Amino acid sequence: MHLIDKLAWIEIRDGKILSTRSKGRTKYYFPGGKRELGESDFEALSREINEELSVSLIEDSTRFLGIFQAQADSHPDGVQVQMTCYTGAYTGTIAADSEIEEVVWLTYQDRAAVSPVDQIIFDWLKEKQLIR
């Protein structure tokens, strides 16, 4: 089994969750990405969020949410993605940047439009009554 290690920022507003769609993709993904060599979770997540959404995460507000794992979207069977999720406040205005084509606020009814690991996170958030 091959494991892809990723980080995600979980931002919920009015029962809806922030999600993004990259250029050339049809599915939505939580903002975040892979760490570069030597980066801490916060350094990697902060860099990715700034690149994708043009906002800056506030380090002392960042809180660990959970680790989720599933089959990696658009990869051969057996390639898993492990998503380490954080919440946290930010400064700036959220706007699509870099490879991001669209920024959306999704509800649980949009679950089928996201990747397999994001679906697991959607289920967990719904169970905790954090999204509608």
Side-chain angles (χ1 to χ4, degrees):
M1 178 183 77
H2 180 71
L3 189 65
I4 300 170
D5 177 33
K6 294 185 81 175
L7 299 155
W9 180 42
I10 305 299
E11 175 68 1
I12 299 169
R13 188 181 299 165
D14 300 324
K16 296 180 180 180
I17 188 159
L18 178 69
S19 196
T20 61
R21 186 177 55 79
S22 296
K23 294 173 183 167
R25 301 283 226 157
T26 56
K27 289 196 187 239
Y28 292 96
Y29 300 85
F30 295 134
K34 299 175 191 170
R35 77 183 81 241
E36 293 179 357
L37 188 63
E39 283 183 320
S40 69
D41 281 8
F42 178 77
E43 290 166 339
L45 188 59
S46 180
R47 175 185 50 75
E48 287 284 350
I49 297 308
N50 186 260
E51 288 172 4
E52 293 179 358
L53 299 173
S54 300
V55 297
S56 298
L57 294 180
I58 300 170
E59 186 168 9
D60 63 1
S61 75
T62 305
R63 300 288 177 262
F64 173 77
L65 191 66
I67 298 174
F68 305 87
Q69 187 172 321
Q71 168 65 38
D73 189 45
S74 303
H75 285 79
D77 285 348
V79 177
Q80 298 273 305
V81 63
Q82 178 177 287
M83 190 82 76
T84 304
C85 299
Y86 291 88
T87 61
Y90 65 94
T91 60
T93 302
I94 293 172
D97 200 359
S98 189
E99 78 270 12
I100 302 303
E101 186 164 344
E102 183 181 11
V103 175
V104 293
W105 293 90
L106 303 176
T107 66
Y108 191 73
Q109 286 68 39
D110 301 304
R111 182 183 180 276
V114 302
S115 72
V117 72
D118 288 13
Q119 289 180 3
I120 292 170
I121 299 165
F122 262 69
D123 293 343
W124 186 83
L125 292 168
K126 179 71 170 171
E127 181 182 304
K128 300 282 185 193
Q129 300 181 352
L130 296 172
I131 61 172
R132 53 184 166 95

